[in-house]
Amino acid sequence: MAEFRITGMHTGVPTHYCPGCSHGLIERLVMESIEELGIQERVIAVPGVGCAGLAAAYYNCDCHSPSHGRALAVATGIKRVRPDNIVFTYQGDGDLASIGMMETIHAANRGEVLTTIMANNAAYGMTGGQASPTTLLGQRTTTSQQGRTVKANGYPVHMSELLSQLDGVYYIERVTVNTVPNIRKAKKAIKHAFQNQIEGKGFNFVEVLASCPTTWGMSPVDAAKWIGTDMIREYPLGVFVDKDQGVQR
Amino acid sequence: MISVTLNKERCKGCGLCVEVCPKQLLQLDAKTTNDKGYHPVMITDSGSCIACCSCALRCPDLCIEIREV
Amino acid sequence: MSKVLMKGNEAIAEAAIRCGCRAFFGYPITPQSEIPEYMSVRMPEVGGVFLQAESELAGINMVGGAAGAGVRTMTSTSGPGYALMQEAMSNFSAVGVPFVVVNMMRGGPGSGGILVNQGDYFQATRGGGNGDYRVLVLAPYNVQEACDLIQEAFDLADEFRLPAILLGDAMIGQMMETVEIKDVVRENRDISWATTGWDRKSRPRNVLFSLNATNEENEARILGIEERFHKAAERARIDTYRAEDAEVILVAYGTSARVSSAAVDTLRECGIRAGLVRPIFLSPFPVERIREAVIKPDVKAVVAVEMSRGMMVDDVRLALNGEKPVYLCNRVGSFVPMPDEIADFVKQILSKEVR
């Protein structure tokens, strides 16, 4: 027996996401974590640009939404001058792993005391479902209409594995939200990534495998299943780095 | 007593909550549509709800609240 | 602070610190690298932030983040680096984040060269980013003025909520001159708009986001920038040298103004009443001041002197709107037009004008 209350960290503005999109869900986990950690007044949101970029209307806190790909640079600027604030970025795979790859690698390498959530839905949702760096091989998108090939688009990018090679990272975990148990685990990871920042530890990165039913051309339920059958094979879940536990993969 | 609040106007009829309810108490109301034109979620037998909150946890649009009253 | 002999770049950095700049994010590029070097030492001394970014693109976004969080922040660069900052200039102008960018121009286009040049005038004044936005541009022509103007730039940026550019060049950055740097304390800066963490009481939630949900919002944002920019235009000023009774007026900024004042003296020695009008503001361009100084019965011709293919000359023509004939005396490729070259050019056109 339990209760479930809607988090006060949400402004209450109805979301623009498609039915079954994971962004609304992952953002809710971020908001719940912030509320449960009692940092609502210290937190500053830095959303990336893309479907999740409109979350500036949903996070019930100060919010600085920069240009596409620049979230981690803006977040670095904020955190460096306001170290007592809790600064987080919430970015899609395109924003973080494509146009923002440079900012991401260097923020992680500098060990910025930040919390970064990457919603990996293997596509550019807002612009209509184009291929992104994390699109799976063979996956059809509007710019890989016969399915992604290595020759045309290179290999899928594994951000958790990639960033775990940098000494500056403190905590990296890949989770997903396609089932209730996984949602609980994702919440735990996201909250941990914020807790680390509160304790001055950084860089914290949580990659969340997310579904994009509309551009995947699937129902929300099937999209959740596809994560479990296909995406997880390419992007295995787990903790990649956790310096508290001496985990380093 | 458990009260299940469903925000039918916010609901987008994605069906994820319907799929996870262990007691199959939820379904999309085929007879009505909300302002956005979605068939919103409805509960068939709230008395049988065990307040596991799976539906609320699974909802991407913050449409479900579960309270003990 | 007493008078000291300092290199332009370093004096400018110290002047920024002395007016409360407490965060610097930059990237090495000749001819301004002394600024990040200097800041890497001084910022920690004053409890400020110094960070060398991985690129100018990242650096300017760090600046926007820090300035958007209410701290006086700056970066410095040169042409190629400033080119990487244009997306951010457009974005941060749109959301009204004030900060200062020092741009020490060098040879262009492309990698161009590392010597003095003025070929970035359009980029600085017209803006290289997308959309209807504006930035403030101030142009010093010696080290003392550079120190005074960067301090003024911070105040203007705060007042008009627009980024401000200090547009120098390799000469101004690299030369050493005596300078007296003032201590300016800005205690009560209004940062109620900044993203500093929302206490839910003292003010509404602050959101800095340049995407507009409606045309009305987009229009209001642009008209807001225009209004602030036109208010700033009231401050746009010039400096003049021997221009009161002039029959021909040279118009030049920065290093070109230095050689032009020598040309004025040369011309005066051979009986030609030359004068110099030097815009200190380049954006907003000081149209009224220039018209006052130039549209007079004695003035037969106006000569814009530039180290570029001619860019400021367009603004001079727009300002004078056909009232006086405007000529261009210029060199490109980082050649500096020499005073006697300028003098000969003036004599040539005057002979045509007088006929």
Side-chain angles (χ1 to χ4, degrees):
Chain A
M1 292 273 274
E3 288 202 334
F4 187 94
R5 308 258 175 150
I6 290 183
T7 169
M9 264 305 292
H10 197 291
T11 56
V13 172
T15 64
H16 68 291
Y17 300 121
C18 304
C21 166
S22 299
H23 281 311
L25 172 59
I26 303 167
E27 274 156 22
R28 193 195 78 218
L29 303 182
V30 168
M31 293 165 184
E32 287 166 356
S33 301
I34 289 168
E35 192 166 46
E36 288 158 24
L37 291 166
I39 50 174
Q40 302 91 318
E41 298 188 9
R42 290 171 61 191
V43 74
I44 297 172
V46 181
V49 169
C51 288
L54 296 179
Y58 310 143
Y59 293 118
N60 213 11
C61 61
D62 277 357
C63 177
H64 190 157
S65 296
S67 311
H68 191 36
R70 315 305 168 213
L72 273 166
V74 166
T76 296
I78 297 172
K79 186 68 178 185
R80 287 285 176 128
V81 298
R82 289 194 173 280
D84 296 336
N85 282 88
I86 303 300
V87 186
F88 74 94
T89 73
Y90 180 111
Q91 303 166 256
D93 40 282
D95 189 86
L96 183 135
S98 194
I99 190 169
M101 176 68 92
M102 174 183 73
E103 286 82 353
T104 303
I105 298 265
H106 285 280
N109 194 56
R110 288 191 301 265
E112 298 291 344
V113 181
L114 292 171
T115 301
T116 287
I117 314 294
M118 179 178 90
N120 176 1
N121 58 14
Y124 284 84
M126 175 179 256
T127 44
Q130 295 77 20
S132 93
T134 57
T135 296
L136 305 189
L137 290 177
Q139 183 181 345
R140 289 176 190 277
T141 73
T142 55
T143 51
S144 63
Q145 299 192 11
Q146 306 307 318
R148 177 178 186 170
T149 64
V150 170
K151 188 164 175 301
N153 321 89
Y155 293 90
V157 169
H158 302 85
M159 282 312 295
S160 294
E161 290 82 345
L162 182 62
L163 295 180
S164 64
Q165 306 309 307
L166 300 170
D167 296 334
V169 296
Y170 197 90
Y171 169 64
I172 294 184
E173 183 165 359
R174 179 183 290 128
V175 295
T176 186
V177 284
N178 66 339
T179 66
V180 172
N182 281 339
I183 290 170
R184 293 187 199 278
K185 288 195 205 105
K187 165 82 175 282
K188 200 161 138 296
I190 289 170
K191 196 170 180 180
H192 186 62
F194 274 97
Q195 179 62 40
N196 276 356
Q197 181 173 170
I198 293 170
E199 294 166 12
K201 301 168 187 161
F203 176 75
N204 304 290
F205 179 71
V206 177
E207 176 179 358
V208 187
L209 302 186
S211 64
C212 179
T214 300
T215 66
W216 290 1
M218 302 173 194
S219 75
V221 170
D222 292 343
K225 289 197 177 80
W226 190 73
I227 291 178
T229 53
D230 290 58
M231 267 192 98
I232 280 180
R233 243 188 298 116
E234 185 68 49
Y235 301 109
L237 307 182
V239 177
F240 290 78
V241 174
D242 188 343
K243 288 192 172 154
D244 285 342
Q245 314 294 335
V247 173
Q248 173 65 57
R249 272 165 52 175
Chain B
M1 244 297 277
I2 292 147
S3 118
V4 178
T5 313
L6 303 173
N7 186 329
K8 298 200 180 226
E9 273 316 307
R10 284 184 73 115
C11 174
K12 295 172 185 167
C14 74
L16 290 171
C17 57
V18 172
E19 190 229 355
V20 296
C21 174
K23 308 280 282 182
Q24 283 89 39
L25 303 177
L26 299 172
Q27 63 187 103
L28 299 183
D29 184 349
K31 289 196 291 304
T32 65
T33 56
N34 61 20
D35 288 354
K36 292 199 185 102
Y38 294 117
H39 290 298
V41 62
M42 60 180 274
I43 186 160
T44 51
D45 170 14
S46 58
S48 305
C49 172
I50 58 170
C52 71
C53 298
S54 294
C55 56
L57 281 167
R58 194 68 188 81
C59 176
D61 281 288
L62 295 94
C63 300
I64 304 175
E65 274 206 337
I66 313 283
R67 291 169 190 265
E68 285 170 38
V69 290
Chain C
M1 183 182 183
S2 55
K3 266 198 185 313
V4 287
L5 185 65
M6 274 182 101
K7 180 175 252 198
N9 283 331
E10 287 166 359
I12 288 165
E14 183 59 29
I17 297 242
R18 292 294 178 87
C19 70
C21 174
R22 284 298 175 270
F24 178 92
F25 305 90
Y27 191 81
I29 183 169
T30 303
Q32 61 77 53
S33 299
E34 291 85 354
I35 296 179
E37 289 167 359
Y38 190 87
M39 287 299 199
S40 70
V41 173
R42 278 292 278 147
M43 274 297 179
E45 285 176 358
V46 296
V49 167
F50 167 81
L51 175 59
Q52 180 173 310
E54 60 271 26
S55 75
E56 290 95 344
L57 173 59
I60 190 66
N61 279 286
M62 294 174 189
V63 167
V71 171
R72 271 203 159 169
T73 307
M74 70 173 275
T75 188
S76 61
T77 188
S78 181
Y82 190 57
L84 289 177
M85 299 182 180
Q86 294 313 299
E87 173 198 54
M89 297 304 287
S90 164
N91 181 60
F92 293 126
S93 300
V95 292
V97 172
F99 52 79
V100 169
V101 179
V102 175
N103 183 4
M104 292 303 187
M105 291 183 282
R106 61 182 269 173
S111 300
I114 61 168
L115 300 175
V116 62
N117 195 286
Q118 295 184 324
D120 303 349
Y121 179 92
F122 276 160
Q123 179 190 49
T125 58
R126 298 302 184 275
N130 58 307
D132 300 291
Y133 74 102
R134 303 278 192 153
V135 292
L136 309 172
V137 180
L138 284 71
Y141 82 133
N142 61 47
V143 174
Q144 180 63 57
E145 190 179 45
C147 293
D148 299 338
L149 287 184
I150 192 168
Q151 295 184 337
E152 180 177 357
F154 273 108
D155 286 341
L156 291 169
D158 276 355
E159 183 178 351
F160 299 108
R161 293 277 304 284
L162 286 170
I165 317 304
L166 188 77
L167 192 62
D169 57 48
M171 201 79 85
I172 291 170
Q174 294 298 329
M175 69 179 156
M176 295 185 79
E177 287 183 332
T178 59
V179 66
E180 192 168 355
I181 297 171
K182 303 175 189 63
D183 277 294
V184 175
V185 179
R186 284 285 171 271
E187 286 304 343
N188 40 24
R189 285 182 66 232
D190 166 22
I191 56 168
S192 57
W193 52 270
T195 56
T196 56
W198 183 37
D199 66 1
R200 283 146 172 75
K201 293 192 290 294
S202 58
R203 60 163 168 77
R205 183 169 80 96
N206 284 337
V207 175
L208 299 175
F209 190 22
S210 54
L211 184 65
N212 303 286
T214 63
N215 287 4
E216 287 77 9
E217 201 182 318
N218 199 347
E219 182 184 53
R221 191 189 297 273
I222 294 169
L223 296 183
I225 293 171
E226 285 300 301
E227 193 193 331
R228 302 201 303 270
F229 190 70
H230 287 308
K231 268 209 214 90
E234 290 154 17
R235 307 286 177 73
R237 61 181 187 277
I238 62 173
D239 184 15
T240 61
Y241 175 66
R242 309 183 79 170
E244 298 66 29
D245 65 339
E247 59 185 316
V248 58
I249 288 193
L250 307 183
V251 181
Y253 71 95
T255 298
S256 293
R258 297 172 76 104
V259 286
S260 296
S261 56
V264 163
D265 295 337
T266 307
L267 287 163
R268 289 259 174 184
E269 276 145 23
C270 46
I272 293 175
R273 284 178 287 113
L276 167 69
V277 163
R278 177 173 70 86
I280 296 169
F281 276 64
L282 299 182
S283 172
F285 198 68
V287 173
E288 295 317 318
R289 301 290 84 74
I290 285 178
R291 289 177 65 87
E292 283 158 17
V294 171
I295 303 176
K296 290 188 282 193
D298 294 356
V299 174
K300 302 191 182 79
V302 176
V303 178
V305 180
E306 291 183 81
M307 290 182 284
S308 75
R309 58 179 166 74
M311 299 183 182
M312 183 200 65
V313 62
D314 287 7
D315 282 337
V316 175
R317 287 193 177 112
L318 286 171
L320 299 179
N321 201 14
E323 301 271 349
K324 296 289 178 185
V326 178
Y327 298 85
L328 171 65
C329 173
N330 67 322
R331 292 298 301 269
V332 292
S334 290
F335 281 109
V336 178
M338 286 299 117
D340 45 26
E341 281 174 48
I342 300 169
D344 292 345
F345 181 90
V346 169
K347 287 175 195 158
Q348 223 184 25
I349 57 144
L350 273 186
S351 61
K352 269 188 286 176
E353 280 304 320
V354 166
R355 225 188 0 268

